[in-house]
Amino acid sequence: MKKKKLIIITLLLIVGVLLSSCSNYNFKPTIEYKIQDFTMIDHRGETVTLDDLKGQPWIAMFIFTNCKTICQPMTLNMSIVQEKLVEKGLEDYKIVGFSVDPENDTPEALSKYLDYFTVPDESKWHLLTGYDQKFIEQFALQSFKALVKKPEDDDQVIHGSSFYLVDENGVAVKYYSGYSEEENSAKAVPYDEIALDMETLINNMKNK
């Protein structure tokens, strides 16, 4: 009988340790890029600044409405990320898309673009414009170490496909694949990882 009780207690301790390790996920930043101050206009025609976004974490991407390649899949993938956030019951976050073609991407164009996607909570989204091409190219490079370049003889802007996790202080702390044709490879979009990292940042913020 004593041996049986000892086995049960041991099993309970093991389960407790496993549950504890799951609940205390050790989030490790992989980058530390301070986002430069900005004042932009979102797809609702509202002014958005870096200070407006501070106080809660956000996830960023670079897209444009006339994109013929990766932008629509990236935006769809971002909506799937949000589905994961909703499943976790998370509220304190934003999703930010910087247009890399601001001359053509008016707030109205960005709003129409977002309407093509079924996003779980549109109020969390800010698709941003209201600057010139030179600004977004240097902003992407300085703030996210990301290349943005619009060729003179082409309407397709060169840009990356990463998603960036930004903490509540306006510092990019991690990046992920935002697009992949290989869903079962190491390059696949890590939806669950992004949601878990976001959840960890929010919980850490609340516990400070």
Side-chain angles (χ1 to χ4, degrees):
M1 181 65 71
K2 289 183 178 180
K3 186 176 181 180
K4 185 177 181 180
K5 286 183 177 180
L6 182 61
I7 293 174
I8 292 173
I9 291 172
T10 302
L11 288 173
L12 288 174
L13 287 172
I14 292 172
V15 171
V17 170
L18 290 174
L19 290 174
S20 175
S21 63
C22 290
S23 61
N24 294 312
Y25 170 68
N26 186 21
F27 169 76
K28 294 182 179 180
T30 57
I31 57 176
E32 187 178 357
Y33 303 157
K34 185 177 180 181
I35 309 304
Q36 71 179 80
D37 287 335
F38 62 79
T39 299
M40 301 177 182
I41 306 296
D42 73 5
H43 65 286
R44 289 180 286 270
E46 300 172 353
T47 299
V48 177
T49 67
L50 178 61
D51 284 341
D52 292 332
L53 296 175
K54 285 183 176 180
Q56 58 184 212
W58 42 287
I59 186 165
M61 62 179 175
F62 292 91
I63 51 94
F64 65 109
T65 63
N66 192 39
C67 180
K68 297 177 181 178
T69 54
I70 63 175
C71 296
Q72 290 191 21
M74 284 176 63
T75 307
L76 176 61
N77 290 338
M78 187 67 85
S79 72
I80 295 173
V81 170
Q82 189 178 36
E83 289 176 2
K84 300 291 185 179
L85 300 178
V86 170
E87 288 173 6
K88 288 179 172 291
L90 302 178
E91 292 287 343
D92 300 323
Y93 69 89
K94 295 293 185 183
I95 294 172
V96 178
F98 297 99
S99 169
V100 296
D101 188 19
E103 182 179 354
N104 295 304
D105 284 348
T106 62
E108 294 78 13
L110 289 168
S111 180
K112 184 177 180 180
Y113 172 83
L114 191 57
D115 283 343
Y116 286 115
F117 303 90
T118 304
V119 300
D121 185 355
E122 185 270 342
S123 70
K124 301 293 186 185
W125 290 65
H126 295 291
L127 299 188
L128 299 176
T129 187
Y131 39 80
D132 61 27
Q133 192 66 36
K134 182 178 179 179
F135 173 84
I136 191 58
E137 291 181 6
Q138 65 83 25
F139 174 81
L141 185 61
Q142 291 186 18
S143 296
F144 293 94
K145 307 299 184 286
L147 174 66
V148 171
K149 188 67 177 178
K150 187 173 185 178
E152 294 183 2
D153 57 349
D154 195 343
D155 64 354
Q156 293 300 292
V157 184
I158 300 168
H159 66 96
S161 60
S162 295
F163 291 161
Y164 298 87
L165 183 62
V166 182
D167 70 13
E168 71 276 12
N169 299 311
V171 178
V173 293
K174 199 168 181 179
Y175 68 92
Y176 319 83
S177 171
Y179 167 77
S180 175
E181 295 180 351
E182 306 171 47
E183 289 303 318
N184 296 317
S185 74
K187 297 179 181 180
V189 181
Y191 304 109
D192 291 320
E193 179 185 352
I194 297 172
L196 185 55
D197 286 346
M198 178 68 83
E199 181 181 34
T200 304
L201 282 189
I202 291 173
N203 289 337
N204 289 347
M205 178 185 67
K206 291 181 177 178
N207 291 331
K208 286 182 179 179

